Amino acid sequence: MKRLKISLLLIISSIVIWSLMQVNVYGESFSRSIINQVGETKTYNGFYMSGSTYNNNGTVKVSKGFDLSTNSDFINNGELTATGNFPTNPFETFGISGGCSLKNTGTMRLSGYYNFGIYGTFENTGKLFLSNIENVSCYGLNNTGMIV
């Protein structure tokens, strides 16, 4: 009986540790480090990342919200297109929480967001295209690239 309890405890603790090492991107589960290779295209119906790093070397297309929270890092060396649905849905946001970072050395196209908040770090050394953006708060933006 004691061995069964210890075995059960080990199984439960392993499941808890494994679940903490996962990140959900609107229903998709990834390990702590996500790499999108050159030539790959990923499409997400909303993007929420918590406690992980996403390294994009290919193409990422996001519709609806884009949110980085809780020590997340998104590194864009390829192409990132994030499209909200403002003014139809004013609740779709583009946000980078404190403690998080987004680094763009590639090309980013962001449009259709009512709330555009950067409270973490957003470093742009690439090309950043913005359109149809409202309520901008960019405390963490560092731009040495091009913003159109």
Side-chain angles (χ1 to χ4, degrees), residues 23-30 46 48:
V23 66
N24 285 317
V25 181
Y26 281 104
E28 296 193 41
S29 183
F30 299 93
Y48 175 82

Side-chain angles (χ1 to χ4, degrees), residues 47-83:
F47 189 94
Y48 175 82
M49 191 167 74
S50 177
S52 187
T53 299
Y54 196 117
N55 207 331
N56 177 39
N57 297 307
T59 301
V60 172
K61 297 176 181 180
V62 177
S63 60
K64 300 186 181 177
F66 184 98
D67 294 297
L68 300 180
S69 71
T70 317
N71 300 319
S72 294
D73 300 310
F74 192 103
I75 302 160
N76 182 48
N77 299 312
E79 290 191 35
L80 169 63
T81 301
T83 307

